[in-house]
Amino acid sequence: MPGSHPAEVLRALLDASSFGVIAVDTKGLIRLWSNGARQIFGWTEEEMIGQRPPVDLELPGKAGDERQRAHKKDGSAVDLEVRVSPWKSERGNVEGTVAILNDITPHLEMERGIVKLMALEKEVQIERRFRELLEAAPDAIIEIDRQGRIILLNRVTEKLFGYTRDQLLGKPVEFLIPEDLRAFHVHHREDYWNKPQTRPMGSGLSLLGQRQDGSRFPVEISLSPVESEGGFRVTAIIRDISERKLAEDRIKAIQQGYTQELAAKNLELAERNQEVERANRLKSEFLAGMSHELRTPLHTIIGFSELLSEELEGPLNDKQKRFVGHIHKDSLHLLELINDVLDLSKIEAGKLELRPEVFDIRQPMDEVLSSINPQAAVKSIRIETVVAIDRELYADRVRVRQILFNLLSNAVKFTPEGGNIRVEASQREACVEISVTDTGIGIPQAEHQAVFDKFHQVGHTTKGVREGTGLGLAITQRLVEEHGGKIWLESEPGKGSRFSFTIPFDSGRA
């Protein structure tokens, strides 16, 4: 275009373009409105110069193309692709914004059409997949409309009831129920429609189905209400449980037989338990009585052996002194064994009475050590005590002393010459915890519980002491438990043993 001004050429290019071009100044007012913009929106350049644009040209951070929906002069919507860039002067100053608009409404309508087609195709696929799943289900499935008519069923339904699909479609669901139950089912179905809810399989109802040949069979049915475009419907899944019922009946018969047999065994066991309890009671009474009867002559033997050893009635030769010493020593040992039997008999008979009093744990500990130290000295065993308690104990002092004596005497028995024994007393919350640790022969893990059984013997003692009845630890455990405490053992063969027990500080008030 020879002789044409560059601005005229640019204007001609803008008007020839199908794109809309808009330029706005820094105040957001239109300064350029191309012919393409007029074709998109319907407003002329004269109408729009000095007005605000019908699209947003000032979105922050705008980069590349931006899709917007705007409105034309006639009020209809138009979808646009908007590209915005700054409008600069020859000196580089920003004079406003230039936007290029592309009408993409036809393109989007085509996209929406394609999406609809794809959705329809997907619905067809879903319908086909639903039918495949319906036919592959192991149970009979039917769908019922508001009037109770069958409107859908799968192949298993035909096989289960013996009808074809055409024979069942449109029939009332009562067609599959024994005749004498149909009236009740109609009433039940009406109640269900008034308050429909999902009912899972095996909800406790005994239901029957009827085949085309008239035979009946037990079924389980789950119900699920469904709201669809065709109205309110109910899906029913029907399962034949004939084999399960037969198995349940067999199991029930077996259970009844076992129950009767078990009842007879329990009765027999109860009678035997009564006999055992009576025998235990008689045993405890016998042992208690015999212990009392045995202690009386033993005290006499002990007393006279002590008198003889004092030589008040005349001197004894060395041989006589040795004999009297044996009599006295063995009588004391026998008395100790009888006392153990008597204590255990009282505990088992429930006749042991605790006599609580307030005392310092050091008192019974010192008394026990005065008795044990001579035995320990014979074997050169060192006994160390550590007491870290700042409050008194309310318990049976005599029985606490007995517990300590049993544990310490055992420690001396099973500790070799030159060994060590450590007694520790500390406070554990509301209890006193006492531990007796020795460097003795140790006890295998398998016997940690058995050592507290009556008459249990772990093994041979070391030199210098006698074997006992095997009742010491059993009595000790019972005495600790009578006080509301507990006792336990930590030990390994060759590494010594640690017996620990707890007694509540106020166990006498429990």
Side-chain angles (χ1 to χ4, degrees):
M1 299 175 62
S4 298
H5 193 275
E8 294 175 353
V9 175
L10 178 61
R11 181 69 193 198
L13 289 173
L14 291 176
D15 289 340
S17 173
S18 61
F19 292 100
V21 180
I22 303 174
V24 297
D25 58 21
T26 55
K27 295 181 179 180
L29 301 178
I30 296 174
R31 295 304 177 199
L32 173 65
W33 184 266
S34 73
N35 185 53
R38 181 188 63 76
Q39 292 177 358
I40 292 174
F41 291 100
W43 286 292
T44 64
E45 185 175 13
E46 290 77 12
E47 291 176 305
M48 296 305 294
I49 293 298
Q51 303 296 321
R52 294 196 175 276
V55 291
D56 180 13
L57 303 181
E58 298 181 0
L59 292 176
K62 189 175 295 296
D65 296 337
E66 176 77 18
R67 287 190 177 185
Q68 293 188 37
R69 171 162 285 195
H71 290 86
K72 299 180 181 181
K73 184 177 180 179
D74 60 8
S76 61
V78 59
D79 290 303
L80 301 170
E81 196 170 64
V82 182
R83 187 171 185 83
V84 179
S85 61
W87 170 22
K88 297 182 180 180
S89 65
E90 292 180 356
R91 295 181 178 181
N93 298 324
V94 177
E95 300 290 338
T97 303
V98 176
I100 299 176
L101 312 176
N102 182 24
D103 183 359
I104 59 172
T105 303
H107 174 70
L108 291 182
E109 288 178 351
M110 183 181 294
E111 282 186 354
R112 286 191 281 269
I114 293 173
V115 169
K116 286 182 179 179
L117 287 174
M118 292 176 66
L120 288 173
E121 183 180 358
K122 189 173 183 179
E123 287 181 5
V124 172
Q125 292 176 349
I126 292 173
E127 176 69 23
R128 183 167 60 250
R129 182 58 179 159
F130 170 74
R131 175 57 63 178
E132 291 173 353
L133 292 174
L134 186 68
E135 297 301 339
D139 298 318
I141 300 176
I142 61 175
E143 192 170 73
I144 306 160
D145 63 13
R146 182 65 179 80
Q147 289 71 39
R149 295 173 301 197
I150 300 172
I151 58 175
L152 182 144
L153 62 114
N154 65 350
R155 190 179 298 110
V156 178
T157 305
E158 298 178 84
K159 183 179 179 181
L160 183 60
F161 288 94
Y163 295 99
T164 65
R165 190 181 303 271
D166 294 337
Q167 289 175 313
L168 291 178
L169 287 175
K171 293 289 193 302
V173 68
E174 284 77 21
F175 195 63
L176 305 176
I177 298 172
E179 293 183 12
D180 55 324
L181 301 177
R182 290 176 182 176
F184 172 77
H185 189 270
V186 171
H187 175 72
H188 178 71
R189 176 162 53 81
E190 290 299 324
D191 288 342
Y192 181 82
W193 283 115
N194 293 332
K195 192 177 180 181
Q197 58 183 349
T198 300
R199 191 183 75 192
M201 188 76 72
S203 57
L205 297 176
S206 289
L207 304 171
L208 292 174
Q210 181 171 291
R211 300 185 178 90
Q212 186 181 27
D213 60 10
S215 60
R216 301 184 178 194
F217 60 100
V219 296
E220 274 185 353
I221 300 178
S222 67
L223 300 177
S224 300
V226 179
E227 186 73 36
S228 65
E229 295 179 359
F232 192 73
R233 298 174 179 179
V234 173
T235 299
I237 301 176
I238 306 167
R239 179 175 298 169
D240 182 359
I241 57 171
S242 301
E243 292 184 4
R244 196 181 77 192
K245 279 288 185 184
L246 289 174
E248 287 176 353
D249 292 341
R250 287 196 294 268
I251 292 173
K252 189 175 181 180
I254 293 171
Q255 287 177 337
Q256 288 177 345
Y258 280 146
T259 300
Q260 293 174 355
E261 183 179 351
L262 184 61
K265 292 290 185 183
N266 285 340
L267 180 61
E268 181 181 352
L269 184 60
E271 292 174 352
R272 289 184 179 178
N273 283 340
Q274 290 179 354
E275 293 177 2
V276 171
E277 289 176 3
R278 180 173 178 274
N280 279 335
R281 187 175 63 256
L282 291 174
K283 177 207 70 175
S284 297
E285 292 174 357
F286 169 77
L287 290 174
M290 286 301 297
S291 297
H292 281 294
E293 294 298 324
L294 289 171
R295 285 202 300 180
T296 301
L298 268 177
H299 282 300
T300 302
I301 295 171
I302 293 170
F304 278 112
S305 63
E306 290 174 349
L307 285 174
L308 286 172
S309 63
E310 292 174 2
E311 300 181 283
L312 297 177
E313 300 298 326
L316 301 175
N317 58 41
D318 292 339
K319 191 173 184 180
Q320 290 171 333
K321 288 180 181 179
R322 189 171 69 254
F323 289 165
V324 170
H326 286 317
I327 292 171
H328 185 260
K329 183 177 179 182
D330 287 344
S331 297
L332 289 175
H333 181 62
L334 184 56
L335 180 61
E336 180 185 339
L337 301 182
I338 292 172
N339 286 335
D340 282 349
V341 173
L342 181 58
D343 282 342
L344 188 61
S345 299
K346 285 181 179 179
I347 293 171
E348 291 185 339
K351 295 180 179 180
L352 180 70
E353 294 183 6
L354 298 180
R355 294 179 172 83
E357 59 181 289
V358 177
F359 60 93
D360 189 321
I361 191 64
R362 294 174 180 82
Q363 296 172 357
M365 191 178 292
D366 290 341
E367 294 171 2
V368 171
L369 288 172
S370 65
S371 299
I372 293 294
N373 278 328
Q375 300 177 24
V378 171
K379 301 173 66 176
S380 300
I381 294 174
R382 179 175 174 269
I383 300 179
E384 177 187 3
T385 60
V386 178
V387 180
I389 297 177
D390 58 1
R391 60 183 292 188
E392 294 182 317
L393 188 66
Y394 184 65
D396 190 322
R397 190 170 68 88
V398 174
R399 296 303 181 181
V400 171
R401 182 177 61 195
Q402 185 176 355
I403 294 169
L404 290 169
F405 182 84
N406 287 345
L407 293 179
L408 275 165
S409 61
N410 270 352
V412 172
K413 286 180 186 179
F414 296 101
T415 299
E417 292 185 359
N420 296 299
I421 297 174
R422 180 182 176 88
V423 184
E424 299 173 86
S426 58
Q427 184 172 334
R428 293 290 181 269
E429 296 180 353
C431 295
V432 55
E433 180 178 314
I434 300 176
S435 299
V436 177
T437 306
D438 62 53
T439 56
I441 58 179
I443 301 170
Q445 179 70 36
E447 295 192 49
H448 280 198
Q449 291 300 322
V451 294
F452 296 105
D453 294 341
K454 293 179 292 185
F455 307 111
H456 181 82
Q457 297 284 355
V458 175
H460 298 293
T461 62
T462 58
K463 181 181 177 182
V465 291
R466 301 177 180 222
E467 287 282 3
T469 59
L471 296 177
L473 287 177
I475 293 172
T476 300
Q477 182 185 45
R478 300 291 185 88
L479 291 177
V480 169
E481 291 173 350
E482 286 287 327
H483 279 85
K486 61 179 181 177
I487 185 169
W488 65 95
L489 166 64
E490 301 165 78
S491 180
E492 290 182 36
K495 295 185 178 180
S497 302
R498 179 186 177 91
F499 283 87
S500 304
F501 69 94
T502 59
I503 292 180
F505 280 105
D506 293 325
S507 62
R509 297 188 178 92

